[in-house]
Amino acid sequence: MRAPRFLIAAAHKSSGKTVVSTGIAAALTSRGVRLAAFKKGPDYIDPMWLGAAIAGPCYNLDFNTQAPDEIVDFFASRISGAEATLVEANKGLYDGVSMDGSDANAALAKLLGLPVVLVIDTVGMTRGIAPLLQGYRAFDPAVNIVGVILNKVGGPRHERKLREAVETYTDLKVVGAVHRNPALEIGERHLGLTTPAETGGLEALIARLGGIVGASVDLDLLLDLASQAPDLPDPPPRAKLPEPEVTIAYARDRAFGFYYPDDLEAFAEAGARLVPFDAMRDPALPDCDGLFIGGGFPEMFVADLDANAALRADIRARIEAGLPTYAECGGLMYLSRAIVAETGVGDMVGVVPAEAVMHPTPEGKGLIRFTERADHPWPGGSGDIRAHEFHYARLRGIEGTPTYGRQITRGHGVDGSHDGIVTHNALAGFCHLRNTRADPWVHRFVTFVRARRAATTKPRQIAPAGLSNSRGSRS
């Protein structure tokens, strides 16, 4: 399968990769290029920006939760029909958790045959860019670094010196030079960039990023370099979707939006229909057989969530009546008694008997592993399950002795040893799961929802032979 593609990477984090990547994606899309987009790692926010730029899903590629051959098959299956593919790295090109580099961006580039374009933060740098690029080329010659985008350039004179250094001492192509410009700034907070859902005038902002970056980058050269990528094997065929048998409501609004597109797709593959609701505006849940509340920034919308008392009461009553529910991170906070944050204190759903208190530094950050305990409500989990966590919240004042569904083997979770509080048919924890071959959690949850629906649905009464089911009917 012929697939022009490239990796946007950097020497270190906060080099401006996401702004540049979003601008390139928007510029190519405005030119009519059908672009597929991916983000390396478990991040939720950067893919939202790339997805907004291409008006489609941006998928994650993650060595922590996906095996290498699984990444190859998944990648190939999601680029079908695309004319070019952009992959954004996380952190620096050679950074990762493992010291051998097996989970680094460079490893992903080699695995998928991605030509690499480095975005270099050039603040305070001129001739010094040359040894930096030489070192990156020499560190692993198997990584195909083909070009560089000069970022945060100070002006024409600064750009001229940088270009001269690159052209004199390396054989890399200068793909573009993006000058410092306040119009390229995206707001940040404790978890990184703000999300597109919170950004006023999103379409105008995306168009502005595309216009500035598109005028600063040689898009034709970039696509030409992307065409150096070798052919990929054809992806395995995707199964036909079954008819939906159950309906699952999920929170989708400014407060809750941390969902992997392929996880949402997996619900349909498992026979479930997803119906979104707004936790700040809707007075009640839609008619549903199960409930899913993902992560997000509920601490930024405490007053709005508190004000919607009708929905909170409905959710509490539904969960206490046995509604199968899964909530992670921000969802766990929403199901607690209250959220305590700098933005205020507000009452929440109250089925988790504790307060979610925000702290100035992360309580849990990075890769997490756990085994499932006997009280975990969904059947089928086995072995050490890999996920990730990134939360500044801690549960305070937990009443009684909670029932936990997870035993932490790496990471923090709720208390350093446990995660996944089980109450009624609800599971709520700080772990962010990914539906993969090793942990098909979506299919397991849908199976649980289907089983609970079957157990609580009254069987239809069938009249004995010769008798009618209708009162007063005549033969």
Side-chain angles (χ1 to χ4, degrees):
M1 180 173 61
R2 191 65 179 167
R5 56 199 186 273
F6 57 96
L7 175 73
I8 296 291
H12 56 79
K13 66 177 297 185
S14 300
S15 295
K17 292 189 308 296
T18 298
V19 170
V20 170
S21 296
T22 300
I24 289 173
L28 288 174
T29 300
S30 70
R31 285 177 48 166
V33 178
R34 295 193 305 275
L35 194 66
F38 295 82
K39 172 72 179 183
K40 194 265 187 184
D43 183 29
Y44 290 104
I45 300 175
D46 291 359
M48 292 181 184
W49 285 101
L50 288 170
I54 67 170
C58 174
Y59 297 99
N60 295 70
L61 305 169
D62 184 12
F63 283 115
N64 179 51
T65 54
Q66 296 172 295
D69 64 321
E70 186 177 5
I71 290 176
V72 173
D73 288 344
F74 176 76
F75 181 76
S77 72
R78 288 340 191 253
I79 65 173
S80 178
E83 295 174 314
T85 298
L86 181 158
V87 182
E88 184 193 344
N90 65 338
K91 299 184 179 180
L93 175 62
Y94 292 111
D95 293 326
V97 175
S98 299
M99 189 54 63
D100 64 2
S102 58
D103 60 357
N105 297 285
L108 184 68
K110 290 188 288 186
L111 179 68
L112 299 177
L114 298 168
V116 177
V117 176
L118 287 174
V119 174
I120 301 298
D121 179 348
T122 64
V123 173
M125 179 186 295
T126 52
R127 186 170 178 265
I129 194 173
L132 172 66
L133 295 176
Q134 288 177 346
Y136 268 69
R137 289 289 296 277
F139 188 78
D140 186 348
V143 179
N144 184 23
I145 302 176
V146 296
V148 57
I149 295 175
L150 310 172
N151 197 29
K152 304 179 184 179
V153 177
R157 183 169 177 267
H158 188 205
E159 178 182 341
R160 186 172 62 253
K161 288 186 174 183
L162 290 165
R163 284 182 178 273
E164 184 178 356
V166 175
E167 292 165 359
T168 300
Y169 296 105
T170 80
D171 60 356
L172 293 177
K173 301 288 186 181
V174 177
V175 181
V178 181
H179 289 222
R180 288 199 296 266
N181 189 336
L184 292 175
E185 294 178 0
I186 299 175
E188 294 193 40
R189 65 158 69 91
H190 52 285
L191 294 185
L193 298 177
T194 54
T195 65
E198 303 168 75
T199 303
L202 176 61
E203 291 184 4
L205 174 56
I206 294 294
R208 184 167 73 243
L209 296 180
I212 296 172
V213 175
S216 306
V217 172
D218 187 336
L219 298 176
D220 292 324
L221 174 58
L222 180 62
L223 292 175
D224 183 60
L225 295 172
S227 297
Q228 297 180 15
D231 289 348
L232 283 173
D234 290 332
R238 299 178 69 176
K240 182 180 178 181
L241 295 179
E243 289 295 323
E245 297 176 332
V246 295
T247 298
I248 296 175
Y250 78 116
R252 192 85 190 234
D253 49 45
R254 292 179 299 155
F256 303 104
F258 289 0
Y259 301 104
Y260 295 121
D262 46 302
D263 277 17
L264 299 183
E265 294 167 1
F267 278 93
E269 295 165 0
R273 178 190 297 106
L274 284 174
V275 179
F277 68 93
D278 190 320
M280 292 174 284
R281 296 185 178 184
D282 292 336
L285 288 177
D287 186 28
C288 60
D289 305 298
L291 173 61
F292 176 28
I293 308 176
F297 294 110
E299 67 273 17
M300 303 305 297
F301 302 95
V302 171
D304 296 303
L305 295 170
D306 178 291
N308 194 355
L311 177 64
R312 291 189 289 107
D314 182 57
I315 291 175
R316 177 165 184 160
R318 296 287 298 276
I319 291 176
E320 290 178 344
L323 181 69
T325 298
Y326 175 52
E328 57 182 31
C329 202
L332 163 63
M333 296 167 64
Y334 182 56
L335 294 187
S336 71
R337 287 196 308 263
I339 292 178
V340 181
E342 288 186 359
T343 55
V345 178
D347 290 335
M348 296 295 130
V349 174
V351 292
V352 172
E355 294 177 334
V357 181
M358 294 295 293
H359 289 261
T361 57
E363 291 296 305
K365 179 181 179 181
L367 309 184
I368 191 169
R369 296 182 184 179
F370 63 88
T371 57
E372 292 182 356
R373 295 162 61 95
D375 290 311
H376 193 286
W378 316 334
S382 62
D384 212 28
I385 296 175
R386 298 185 175 200
H388 86 278
E389 62 177 338
F390 194 176
H391 55 99
Y392 284 68
R394 177 193 303 168
L395 294 187
R396 181 178 70 185
I398 301 178
E399 296 177 1
T401 303
T403 298
Y404 290 104
R406 299 167 179 156
Q407 187 73 39
I408 299 298
T409 57
R410 171 188 170 144
H412 189 271
V414 169
D415 62 3
S417 299
H418 308 94
D419 193 60
I421 293 176
V422 180
T423 176
H424 306 287
N425 286 321
L427 174 69
F430 280 117
C431 292
H432 289 285
L433 302 182
R434 178 85 185 276
N435 191 77
T436 60
R437 189 169 63 198
D439 180 31
W441 78 262
V442 169
H443 294 260
R444 295 173 54 211
F445 178 57
V446 172
T447 297
F448 176 64
V449 172
R450 189 182 293 114
R452 295 307 307 165
R453 174 177 172 173
T456 56
T457 301
K458 293 182 180 179
R460 184 168 60 91
Q461 297 296 320
I462 301 177
L467 296 179
S468 170
N469 287 327
S470 300
R471 295 182 180 180
S473 64
R474 293 183 299 175
S475 59

